[in-house]
Every structure is written in structure tokens, then in C-alpha cells.
Amino acid sequence: MKTKFMMMMAAAAMVLAACSNDEESDNWAGEIRLSSGLAVQTRANDTNVPDKQIAQGQTVYTWVDKVPISDATTAYINAWTLTAGGDGTFTGSAQYYPADGATLDFYAMHGNFTFNENDAFPTEAITHAVDATQSTNLGENYLKSDLLYGLKKGVTRSKDAVNLTFYHLLSKVEVALKSGAGNPDLIGATVTIENTRLKASFTPDKTADINSSTPKTAQDARAGLVTCPTDNNDATPIAIATEITTNDFAAGTTYAAAIIVPQTVAKGTQFIKVVLKNNSGTFTYKVPNDGITFESGKKYQYQITVNQSGLSVASDISDWLPITAIKGEATMD
């Protein structure tokens, strides 16, 4: 009887060990793991890493709600501060799935604002401002200007990372220069985005259908999270990098990038200014036609040929993918 009992105990121990090994095979103890991706469609020549992944060292704030089987949703984790690794991973304090098996809803954001650890999910608008000095291409001021929001609901306990898709909520402007007629020297030229307001009012919403399978529904939901207030928000130039090409804007051209707040710029407004070294020439591109409304999550690319007599400009608007094109002319001041 004693031998039989010992054999039964050994068998039970083996079963428990097998179950434990399944869950703890990589030392997982119920810790929540997160990974990220940015929802972008890229061009063949689009190599801007921040568009494809949150850059290393950037801060992401995450809130987690607990959705019990019978009770109402409750806050489970508040203002969980995470640091992006640049490869889709995050580091931060360890957080764990609930022991009762409840599912979790995740909400995460990145922007030019700060939360304290354990702050509640914001219920009022947050002021996010893009930086007026984005002259280091894809540098720190560009990165902090990028407002991102993502959410994922109904997550069940798993050792696999919870993949959060983040959406760009603001607009992106890309500019490349080429020397044209008269061969003006562009080395040392400065480029600025003119006449846009820098502050956005961001109201995160847990119910916004930003992941909808219907593109327009998702786009409208994301755009609805951001407005451009006019009070205490004067238009201010944004300095950007000077990127010069000699390949007629073919594949592989490098563009200077800037983040701007979605807003409408009226017809005839100076929008891009190029000043040659030693103030030897100033050129401006003015908004043509009926003006332009910069939309949330869209990219506006400008190919500027600088001639002695003025600028010739080709521009397209995209969802991080071309959808239409605009032609424009500018005159020398």
C-alpha cells in the first residue's frame, strides 16, 4: 500500500510539473508583456524609422481596465510608464494579469506631456504641442511632437506579448529641395514651415472606434480625438532640416520631416519658406487653390525646385501612401 501511494504521489507531481513547465518554460509568472507597431503603409523609399516603430527611449503611458465576468469594468493599472526599446519592446515596472481570469482593456499614448505613475486615465482634454525647432531631421524634438494613441480590448491572460497598434494623430510634412534654373546654391539654406498653430487639444476616448475595419470610420474616430484651438495658440514658424537632392526626387530621396497640428491654412498663406545662406535669396511657397486642410494621420510631401526666379513645387497627400497630387508655383520675395 505504501509503495502504491508513493507511486501515485510521484505521478501527481509529474502532472503538476508538466503544467508548471508549460506556463513557466521561459520563467513567465503571469507578467503582462507589451509590444507595439505603428499603423502605417509605407512607400518603397520610405526609410523613416519613427514611422514604423516608436523610437528608442520614448515614453509611452498605458492604462489597463479590468473587465470581470459579471461586474462593471474597473481601473486595474493606472498610468503605467513604459520606455520604448526601438524594436517594438518596452521596459518598465512589472505588472501582472489578474488571478481571477478577467479580461483586460489596454489604452496607451505618447506625446509631449507628462503623467505621474498611477495617475487616472484623463477625462479632460490634454494639451499637446509640437516643437518649433524640428531642425534635426527625425531628432528628439520631432519624436516628442508625434502624438500617438492605441488601444486593444478583450485581452486574455497569455505569456505572449500584447501587440498595441499606435496611430499618428497629427499630420506630417516632408520637404526636399533641388537646385534648378540658375543653379542657386542650397548649401546652408534654412527651411521653415510657416503659419501653423503649434498646440493641439487631445481628448483620449476609450470608446473611439480607432481600430475599425472600415477605414473611414477608423479615420473619423482618430481625427475626432484632436482639435486645434485658436485661443493662446498663435501661428509660429517651425524650423526643419534642409534636405537637398540631385536625383529629381527619384526613389531614395531623403526628405526633411516635421510634425504639425491638423488645421486649415487659407489660400495664399505663406507655408514653406526657403532662405539661402547669407540671406542671398528668400523664397516662399503659398497655399494654392482654396486652401488646404491638414488631416489627422496624413502625410504631405513637397518636392521643391529652387530656381533663381522662384520655386516650382510638386506636392502629394497620402495616408503614408499616395492618394492625390497637387501642383503649385511660388514667387521670389
Side-chain angles (χ1 to χ4, degrees), residues 41-184:
Q41 298 121 356
T42 59
R43 303 170 184 268
N45 65 337
D46 188 353
T47 58
N48 295 340
V49 173
D51 283 349
K52 299 172 183 172
Q53 195 52 258
I54 300 176
Q56 184 177 14
Q58 295 301 298
T59 299
V60 171
Y61 300 102
T62 302
W63 286 259
V64 185
D65 284 351
K66 183 178 175 182
V67 188
I69 296 174
S70 57
D71 298 331
T73 298
T74 57
Y76 182 61
I77 301 170
N78 281 329
W80 183 14
T81 305
L82 300 170
T83 302
D87 57 357
T89 62
F90 295 98
T91 56
S93 60
Q95 302 285 354
Y96 296 87
Y97 283 97
D100 61 5
T103 60
L104 301 179
D105 293 344
F106 289 77
Y107 309 92
M109 62 187 74
H110 163 279
N112 193 9
F113 42 69
T114 301
F115 288 95
N116 295 316
E117 197 78 13
N118 296 319
D119 277 353
F121 188 85
T123 57
E124 297 182 352
I126 303 166
T127 297
H128 166 91
V130 302
D131 202 283
T133 306
Q134 300 182 43
S135 48
T136 298
N137 202 19
L138 307 180
E140 183 63 29
N141 288 346
Y142 170 91
L143 297 175
K144 75 178 184 182
S145 297
D146 198 6
L147 177 60
L148 304 170
Y149 185 57
L151 61 84
K152 189 165 188 176
K153 297 185 176 184
V155 176
T156 56
R157 178 185 171 94
S158 173
K159 67 180 180 180
D160 295 331
V162 179
N163 187 272
L164 289 173
T165 298
F166 289 84
Y167 295 92
H168 299 277
L169 297 186
L170 303 188
S171 305
K172 179 180 179 181
V173 175
E174 292 184 329
V175 178
L177 306 180
K178 177 180 175 293
S179 183
N183 197 32

Side-chain angles (χ1 to χ4, degrees), residues 40-48 51-52 138 142 168-175 219 253 255-260 262 271 292-302 315-326:
V40 295
Q41 298 121 356
T42 59
R43 303 170 184 268
N45 65 337
D46 188 353
T47 58
N48 295 340
D51 283 349
K52 299 172 183 172
L138 307 180
Y142 170 91
H168 299 277
L169 297 186
L170 303 188
S171 305
K172 179 180 179 181
V173 175
E174 292 184 329
V175 178
Q219 173 64 25
T253 296
Y255 289 82
I259 302 293
I260 69 170
F271 181 59
I292 184 169
T293 297
F294 292 94
E295 297 183 53
S296 169
K298 299 206 176 204
K299 179 166 67 175
Y300 300 76
Q301 188 174 85
Y302 292 85
S315 172
D316 72 31
I317 306 170
S318 67
D319 286 326
W320 272 245
L321 196 73
I323 55 174
T324 188
I326 306 169

